Amino acid sequence: MADATLQTGSLEERKIREALPGALVKAKVHKGDLFLCVRREQIREVASLLRNDPELEYKFFSECLGVDYSRWDHERDLDGRFEVVYNLLSLKLNKRIFVKVAVDDGQKVPSLVPVYAGAEYPEREIWDLFGIVFEGNEQSQRFLMPDDWVGHPLRKEYPLGGEDVLFAEGDRGPAVEDIAMPHAGESFEGKTGTEDVSGR
Amino acid sequence: MSEGTSVPFGPQHPVLPEPIQLRISLEDENVVQALPALGYVHRGIEKAGELNDFQQNVFLVERVCGICSSIHALAYCLAVEAVLGLEAPKRASYLRVVWMELHRIHSHLLYLGLLAEAFGFESLFMEFWRVRERVMDLLEMTAGNRVIISVCTIGGVRRDIDAEQARAIREELPKLRDEARRLVDSLLSDYTVRQRTVGKGTIPAALALELGAVGPTLRGSGVAQDMRMAGYAAYGELEFRPVTFPDGDTYSRTAVRAEEVFQSIDLVLAALDNLPEGDLKVGFKGRPEGAALARVEAPRGELIYMVVGNGTKNLERMRVRVPTYANIPALLTVLPGCEFADVPVVTLSIDPCISCTER
């Protein structure tokens, strides 16, 4: 299968390039694992192909995770602030692959719930902790964080160690004057080395 | 849904060792809907993993979960070792198997005890935990601690098991096997237990795969998937076959865990018999750069650590995918249709570990 247009020569890459030309931005093998970098708009088609193709059968959705690359100064596979990495398993091939999409603030990733029912909770968690919106799986309630929490804590600019305890009444703890802007006027210097709290 | 009753199950409930809430809608005594509310014990360990340096993280991830603590440390160490290009020495790999399997034994015995308690079998619960205590003593003897044993480190293990300790383990485990066999037989053959578990909360194999269930929940549906088959640490060199039961109900999941207790005892003994001489760890220089993923079999299923290193002492991202997280969708799918009285037992049958789930 020595096709010059393939970057890895893998069956998965060839299938995607044949069926969905243009969907694949990059394919690479890193430390023995196959990474497929996919255009965000076509992630659902790519996932359906990987799941339903009789030679692939990536039917087992292990997880998906978000990564915030805003402080990353090394080489990247994709452009965009965040990456969502899907981790799929084929019991037929006994093989695990990673599918990645890039997303910026304000953009949406199509939800994979119609393809993999198991994607629902990981996507909710990514929304909760990174603020990445999944189209078709939009949430109004926090998943892991408290319901009245402001901001998305796994973003890189989000400080650790700087939070006050968010109580509504002043007599039960260090109260925050304005819950919508809990850190207004406060410096995080010496706590996390940053004063930028734009994530909240 | 206007006619139904809504019952909050948890966050504080006698059968739940940890806080999770299921908002259950009932039609008469039958569950029609179960909605979860998570986040009661979210501690932000993934965030803390970016702020500590990568060697401190070994101790941090052990505190994700009290029951499978050292298995978290192993998964993290394997992931960082993959990024750094290290391979642990042979003796360390075997010692890791010994400690991981001791952890699995005490975790499964804990589950069997809790299940017995959920039926109201208080004495059986205490009997299981009495047996479990002997495993905790073995852990204390070999590692100095009962629960968080801190034996794994990047590149190997921090402690050795000497000949005398190995002899003590070899003497203790067969006795423990006999006692556990007696208890497991009385649990699995009991009429009342069968009434409460057989056919309750059935997860068919296709549904379990569809929803991404892992571990005993998946093996209890007849799918032979166990990360130990992938042969990490020394599992590739020890004889190993996954335990499966075909029915997918609460009874099957319990039976899988019960049989795995005995399988783990055999694995510990085999690992001690084949324990090679050699170093306990390899040294390394440099800092992690690049991404790697490690999968291990925790007592509740496949545990995944993904580590992205950026060449500094801090990691860019540390992701923990824990088994209960993958099993909760399957649980919520089978709860509708159950009777309300079965909800505690079915919920417990995936052995939920909430502090893992929420990290």
Side-chain angles (χ1 to χ4, degrees):
Chain A
M1 237 169 288
D3 190 334
T5 57
L6 296 185
Q7 288 170 311
T8 61
S10 59
L11 181 64
E12 292 84 358
E13 188 191 350
R14 187 168 60 84
K15 290 261 183 194
I16 294 174
R17 285 208 195 274
E18 276 172 10
L20 301 163
L24 207 58
V25 180
K26 184 181 174 183
K28 68 166 185 178
V29 177
H30 178 72
K31 294 187 197 287
D33 292 318
L34 178 65
F35 284 77
L36 301 171
C37 306
V38 175
R39 279 181 60 229
R40 188 179 69 250
E41 296 81 4
Q42 281 175 286
I43 177 65
R44 205 177 282 171
E45 288 88 342
V46 170
S48 308
L49 177 81
L50 289 170
R51 185 182 192 278
N52 297 328
D53 191 289
E55 286 178 57
L56 300 175
E57 292 199 2
Y58 281 93
K59 289 198 170 167
F60 194 90
F61 181 88
S62 270
E63 66 157 348
C64 62
L65 62 132
V67 192
D68 180 357
Y69 278 111
S70 57
R71 301 270 164 89
W72 182 261
D73 49 6
H74 296 48
E75 195 190 339
R76 289 274 310 274
D77 298 324
L78 290 162
D79 298 322
R81 177 174 172 181
F82 302 102
E83 278 179 15
V84 179
V85 185
Y86 300 89
N87 179 344
L88 307 176
L89 180 68
S90 166
L91 295 178
K92 179 180 176 131
L93 303 175
N94 185 19
K95 190 172 173 191
R96 183 171 293 262
I97 56 165
F98 298 92
V99 182
K100 299 209 285 187
V101 297
V103 55
D104 260 318
D105 269 329
Q107 295 175 331
K108 290 182 177 180
V109 184
S111 166
L112 280 195
V113 175
V115 186
Y116 294 105
E120 184 179 355
Y121 283 28
E123 286 182 358
R124 277 199 215 178
E125 184 188 328
I126 292 175
W127 171 77
D128 195 8
L129 300 180
F130 286 97
I132 301 173
V133 180
F134 288 87
E135 207 166 1
N137 190 12
E138 287 96 345
Q139 300 298 320
S140 55
Q141 260 204 322
R142 304 303 296 229
F143 185 60
L144 286 178
M145 303 303 291
D147 286 347
D148 55 353
W149 198 267
V150 185
H152 301 285
L154 274 181
R155 290 178 172 227
K156 285 290 174 191
E157 79 272 7
Y158 195 92
L160 190 95
E163 300 98 29
D164 295 302
V165 183
L166 294 172
F167 285 124
E169 291 173 41
D171 58 344
R172 289 195 295 162
V176 180
E177 285 179 8
D178 181 0
I179 287 186
M181 291 283 289
H183 297 295
E186 188 182 341
S187 168
F188 287 96
E189 209 166 351
K191 290 176 177 171
T192 61
T194 176
E195 291 185 62
D196 177 14
V197 291
S198 53
R200 303 195 69 172
Chain B
M1 204 74 69
S2 58
E3 298 286 316
T5 318
S6 180
V7 180
F9 178 80
Q12 308 299 331
H13 189 277
V15 307
L16 289 174
E18 291 175 277
I20 179 176
Q21 188 181 38
L22 301 174
R23 296 189 195 111
I24 292 178
S25 305
L26 295 174
E27 202 75 62
D28 296 333
E29 278 292 298
N30 297 315
V31 178
V32 290
Q33 193 186 28
L35 292 172
L38 294 167
Y40 291 96
V41 286
H42 175 67
R43 290 147 291 162
I45 283 183
E46 287 185 8
K47 181 81 176 175
E50 295 170 12
L51 287 136
N52 287 346
D53 80 41
F54 72 99
Q55 299 199 32
Q56 292 171 329
N57 275 346
V58 180
F59 304 102
L60 175 73
V61 298
E62 280 199 308
R63 277 135 183 99
V64 170
C65 165
I67 303 303
C68 37
S69 61
S70 113
I71 295 173
H72 277 271
L74 173 68
Y76 175 77
C77 289
L78 287 173
V80 177
E81 282 163 17
V83 177
L84 290 168
L86 297 174
E87 194 175 338
K90 277 247 157 166
R91 187 176 176 86
S93 298
Y94 275 82
L95 289 174
R96 282 175 172 183
V97 170
V98 172
W99 275 307
M100 297 315 129
E101 292 306 316
L102 285 175
H103 256 271
R104 193 182 320 279
I105 297 168
H106 93 65
S107 173
H108 282 346
L109 288 173
L110 175 129
Y111 162 76
L112 294 170
L114 288 177
L115 188 82
E117 194 199 20
F119 302 135
F121 280 179
E122 285 274 330
S123 58
L124 192 55
F125 156 67
M126 289 183 190
E127 287 282 311
F128 269 119
W129 281 41
R130 183 175 59 76
V131 177
R132 172 175 177 263
E133 203 61 23
R134 304 175 77 146
V135 186
M136 312 303 277
D137 290 344
L138 288 180
L139 287 172
E140 186 173 6
M141 178 193 71
T142 51
N145 264 324
R146 284 160 48 86
V147 179
I148 298 190
I149 58 175
S150 291
V151 288
C152 279
T153 185
I154 295 162
V157 290
R158 294 170 62 235
R159 280 174 170 270
D160 198 4
I161 292 183
D162 62 25
E164 195 177 325
Q165 289 170 339
R167 189 180 53 78
I169 297 176
R170 278 207 199 88
E171 275 178 13
E172 184 74 8
L173 283 183
K175 287 187 218 158
L176 194 147
R177 176 162 49 197
D178 294 342
E179 285 190 33
R181 176 58 76 189
R182 195 168 52 83
L183 293 177
V184 163
D185 285 349
S186 57
L187 176 76
L188 293 181
S189 60
D190 186 86
Y191 173 79
T192 319
V193 173
R194 293 184 69 94
Q195 289 292 313
R196 290 297 305 271
T197 54
V198 173
K200 308 289 186 195
T202 305
I203 307 176
L207 180 70
L209 285 173
E210 168 82 30
L211 295 172
V214 293
T217 309
L218 186 56
R219 292 197 287 280
S221 298
V223 182
Q225 197 201 15
D226 189 315
M227 283 311 122
R228 287 173 285 176
M229 289 153 81
Y232 65 90
Y235 286 108
E237 294 157 37
L238 299 166
E239 199 173 320
F240 175 77
R241 294 180 73 97
V243 179
T244 60
F245 278 79
D247 297 336
D249 55 5
T250 302
Y251 184 83
S252 278
R253 294 193 278 279
T254 307
V256 166
R257 292 194 177 89
E259 284 310 313
E260 283 188 359
V261 171
F262 304 111
Q263 184 189 46
S264 293
I265 292 175
D266 292 340
L267 277 170
V268 173
L269 295 174
L272 285 176
D273 287 341
N274 297 320
L275 194 62
E277 293 298 320
D279 291 335
L280 290 183
K281 63 185 241 182
V282 288
F284 64 93
K285 280 198 169 129
R287 286 166 170 173
E289 188 165 358
L293 173 130
R295 304 180 278 156
V296 305
E297 184 75 15
R300 288 157 188 79
E302 177 191 25
L303 172 67
I304 305 175
Y305 267 73
M306 180 138 190
V307 164
V308 182
N310 53 9
T312 69
K313 69 181 171 123
N314 298 102
L315 298 173
E316 187 75 13
R317 178 89 167 92
M318 179 183 87
R319 164 71 184 173
V320 189
R321 204 302 305 266
V322 297
T324 305
Y325 194 67
N327 285 334
I328 284 182
L331 169 72
L332 296 175
T333 311
V334 298
L335 276 180
C338 289
E339 283 185 22
F340 186 61
D342 292 328
V343 169
V345 175
V346 174
T347 305
L348 207 66
S349 74
I350 67 159
D351 200 0
C353 178
I354 309 302
S355 61
C356 272
T357 307
E358 297 173 2
R359 302 172 301 281

